[in-house]
Amino acid sequence: MLNVNGTPFHPDTLQLTDIPGMQAGQAWVALVFCILYLISITGNISILALVVKEPALHQPMYYFLSMLSLNDLGVSFSTFPTVIATFCFNYRHVGFDACLVQMFFIHTFSFMESGILLAMSFDRFVAICDPLHYATVLTNNCILAIGLGILAKSFTTLLPFPFLVKRLPFCKGNVLHHSYCLHPDLMKVACGDTHVNNIYGLFVVIFTYGIDSTFILLSYALILKAVLAIASWEQRLKALNTCISHICAVLAFYVPIIAVSMIHRFWRSAPPVVHVMMSNVYLFIPPMLNPIIYSVKTKEIRRGILKAFFKSQS
């Protein structure tokens, strides 16, 4: 569908939706989302503040953790405006261009998280497999270069998406299936030839999630090989214990992604609420769980939190 001047038709606004079947309990759903945001934002800001303030945490492992917390804040703030507007104020409209901007940032931060988890696995690989060169390999300049590389990779691979969407006409209505904007959701209401969008989307997924997850698995295979070569059972457990937090973070990120992919591929007849709920889990659970995981499983983070708490009490 084209306008009279021959340009693709774009609606002025797109309509967001809440969770199907949850209209009666929308107040409770809004409360749940507010709690999720509160835990996520407070937890990740606390991690960042601790790493900045505590000299004992000025180490590569915690610099990467700071990147993860900063990225999780980006995920939370990307979805925050439309989710809160939809569930708390019952305002369901978002401008077309604003929707494209939100889509870009949501996907960019999501792909960045995958890259950061890969960088953290590299940190654990060097720490366990080559501990004598840990400080010389993971210097501050190296960590900065890795962080900028992750940012540049995600930004450049996701940059074409808004332009690929904007070239399409929208003739299947303007109602989206989530309370935020995602590329697959926009493709459902776009018409015209969407093959380029779908092919490029598949390429980006393989180029990021596929490659990152493969190298994460490879790094842990090498870590396990190095750990099994340690004679002392106690030392083996000590080495593996330094990886527990990262393994939990990887599972919290990749399990929902795999579940969403499996449902879309093998259970397309699933009720709409299942698809929406899984998409929400994929976006909201990792930013909430990561600070909890590292606070519970990492002794230095836990010690820093207790120190800050007792200092505030005194």
Side-chain angles (χ1 to χ4, degrees), residues 121 124-125 128-129 219-227 240 243:
S121 72
R124 292 299 84 207
F125 166 76
I128 293 174
C129 299
S219 68
Y220 272 103
L222 296 173
I223 287 171
L224 187 60
K225 180 181 177 182
V227 168
L240 286 174
C243 301

Side-chain angles (χ1 to χ4, degrees), residues 40-52 69 291 295 301 305:
S40 176
I41 293 171
T42 303
N44 286 296
I45 288 177
S46 299
I47 294 288
L48 287 170
L50 276 176
V51 174
V52 170
S69 293
S295 298
I301 295 291
I305 291 173

Side-chain angles (χ1 to χ4, degrees), residues 162-198:
F163 301 101
L164 288 174
V165 173
K166 198 158 188 175
R167 72 185 177 86
L168 296 171
F170 283 72
C171 57
K172 298 178 183 178
N174 67 336
V175 180
L176 303 181
H177 295 84
H178 298 86
S179 53
Y180 42 81
C181 300
L182 296 175
H183 180 259
D185 208 10
L186 285 166
M187 289 301 94
K188 292 178 182 178
V189 294
C191 48
D193 188 0
T194 60
H195 284 90
V196 174
N197 296 67
N198 294 329

Side-chain angles (χ1 to χ4, degrees), residues 27 32 44 53 55 84 134 140 159 190 193 200 241 273 276 285 305:
V32 169
N44 286 296
K53 289 179 63 177
I84 294 301
Y134 182 71
N140 289 343
L159 186 61
D193 188 0
Y200 186 71
N241 193 52
V273 66
V276 174
I285 296 303
I305 291 173

Side-chain angles (χ1 to χ4, degrees), residues 142-154:
C142 176
I143 294 168
L144 179 61
I146 290 173
L148 292 175
I150 293 169
L151 175 62
K153 174 190 171 185
S154 301

